[in-house]
């Protein structure tokens, strides 16, 4: 009888271990995430827009852009170099490699995210397929320096062989994130009982109320852990020995 391959759920704990290598750096990034998250309501006030859940998401994304575009990928590149020391992302050369890759990696991630969003919005199934097959391409470009097409092929070949275990691990990460969101929403409903669920709290309230600062700090920490767990999962896929071109 064929032995089933091991689960990748261990990547969740491995992501925490990766972050524990640099606790002060992680704490600093979590504090940065807290302040960057507060840029969202500040931008809303500066733009003079009224309460809107859609605009909150747009301005919130704009505020967190430096973290998602530069600082979290840089942390992932550093942790990968320390734990794998691959020739394409070595312990002594990861900074130079990152400086040459981070922008095109972000642009590739943005293009794939737009394709996923359009697929989900228009047809649902294509969006899920794009995410499943090509979601690892930006990390491959960042950490191993491959071009977009080669990274897409690697992601596709790897996911074809490993998708059940990868989806299991990713769903576990999503479950943790959803549990946090539900707990935060429950707490805010009791701290701000007059809040309109269709509009959300106003920008001034989000800037002044200490609960939002606390939840932004916790949310930033959770985001860092998820980034570490995704890196650990990527390293597991690489270590599985699947060929780049796949067959």
């Amino acid at each position: 009888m064929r032995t089933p391959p091991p689960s990748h759920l261990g990547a969740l704990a491995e992501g925490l271990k990766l972050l524990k290598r640099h606790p002060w750096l992680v704490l600093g990034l979590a504090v940065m995430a807290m302040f960057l998250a507060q840029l969202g309501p500040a931008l809303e006030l500066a733009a003079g827009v009224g309460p809107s859940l859609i605009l909150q998401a747009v301005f919130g994304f704009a505020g967190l852009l430096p973290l998602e575009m530069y600082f979290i990928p840089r942390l992932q590149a550093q942790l990968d170099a320390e734990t794998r020391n691959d020739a394409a992302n070595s312990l002594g050369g990861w900074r130079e490699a990152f400086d040459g890759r981070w922008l095109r990696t972000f642009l590739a991630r943005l293009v794939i995210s737009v394709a996923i969003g359009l697929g989900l919005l228009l047809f649902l199934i294509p969006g899920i397929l794009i995410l499943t097959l090509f979601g690892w391409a930006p990390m491959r470009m960042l950490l191993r320096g491959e071009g977009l097409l080669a990274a897409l092929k690697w992601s596709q070949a790897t996911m074809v062989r490993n998708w059940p275990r990868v989806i299991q691990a990713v769903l576990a990460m999503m479950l943790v994130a959803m549990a946090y969101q539900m707990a935060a929403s429950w707490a805010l409903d009791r701290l701000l009982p007059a809040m309109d669920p269709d509009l959300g709290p106003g920008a001034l309230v989000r800037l002044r109320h200490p609960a939002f600062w606390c939840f932004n700090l916790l949310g930033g920490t959770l985001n860092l852990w998820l980034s570490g767990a995704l890196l650990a999962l990527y390293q597991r896929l690489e270590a599985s020995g699947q060929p780049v071109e796949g067959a």
Side-chain angles (χ1 to χ4, degrees), residues 46 96 220:
E96 292 78 9

Side-chain angles (χ1 to χ4, degrees), residues 186-208:
W186 179 87
L188 287 175
D189 285 341
R190 279 141 187 82
L191 291 171
L192 300 169
M195 181 176 61
D196 188 338
D198 295 325
L199 297 177
L204 197 58
V205 174
R206 282 179 281 133
L207 278 174
R208 290 179 174 178

Side-chain angles (χ1 to χ4, degrees), residues 222-243:
L222 176 64
N223 190 16
L224 290 169
W225 168 71
L226 291 174
S227 300
L230 286 172
L231 172 61
L233 182 56
Y234 169 82
Q235 291 178 337
R236 280 171 166 251
L237 293 176
E238 258 192 350
S240 68
Q242 303 301 338

Side-chain angles (χ1 to χ4, degrees), residues 11-231:
L12 279 71
E14 290 170 9
L16 183 59
K17 291 180 181 179
L18 287 173
L19 296 186
K20 289 171 67 175
R21 297 176 64 92
H22 299 284
W24 291 111
L25 174 60
V26 172
L27 177 60
L29 289 175
V31 173
M32 177 190 293
M34 176 183 69
F35 282 100
L36 289 176
Q38 291 300 86
L39 276 179
L43 291 172
E44 291 177 46
L45 289 175
V49 299
S52 168
L53 293 178
I54 295 178
L55 290 178
Q56 284 183 29
V58 171
F59 284 109
F61 173 78
L64 290 172
L65 193 58
L67 190 72
E68 297 291 340
M69 181 171 64
Y70 184 85
F71 290 102
I72 286 181
R74 191 177 193 277
L75 176 64
Q76 290 177 321
Q78 179 179 355
L79 293 174
D80 177 75
E82 293 173 351
T83 54
R84 287 294 183 268
N85 196 24
D86 187 271
N89 190 47
S90 64
L91 188 57
W94 71 268
R95 292 178 179 84
E96 292 78 9
F98 174 80
D99 289 341
R101 298 170 183 168
W102 70 269
L103 182 56
R104 64 188 179 94
T105 298
F106 174 75
L107 293 176
R109 180 181 171 189
L110 188 61
V111 170
I112 293 174
S113 297
V114 170
I116 292 170
L118 290 175
L120 291 173
L121 181 64
L122 299 177
F123 305 106
L124 186 62
I125 299 299
I128 295 175
L129 288 176
I130 293 171
L131 174 61
T132 302
L133 292 176
F134 305 119
W136 294 110
M139 190 169 291
R140 184 75 177 178
M141 295 174 64
L142 177 69
L143 301 181
R144 303 298 172 250
E146 291 188 350
L148 178 59
L149 291 180
L152 290 172
K153 290 179 181 179
W154 184 90
S155 181
Q156 179 185 11
T158 302
M159 286 301 295
V160 165
R161 294 174 179 258
N162 296 278
W163 69 267
R165 293 180 294 152
V166 173
I167 290 179
Q168 180 190 42
V170 171
L171 286 178
M173 297 178 201
M174 293 176 60
L175 183 61
V176 174
M178 290 174 59
Y180 165 76
Q181 290 292 339
M182 292 175 62
S185 298
W186 179 87
L188 287 175
D189 285 341
R190 279 141 187 82
L191 291 171
L192 300 169
M195 181 176 61
D196 188 338
D198 295 325
L199 297 177
L204 197 58
V205 174
R206 282 179 281 133
L207 278 174
R208 290 179 174 178
H209 203 292
F212 289 95
W213 290 85
C214 293
F215 285 127
N216 286 336
L217 178 63
L218 291 174
T221 304
L222 176 64
N223 190 16
L224 290 169
W225 168 71
L226 291 174
S227 300
L230 286 172
L231 172 61

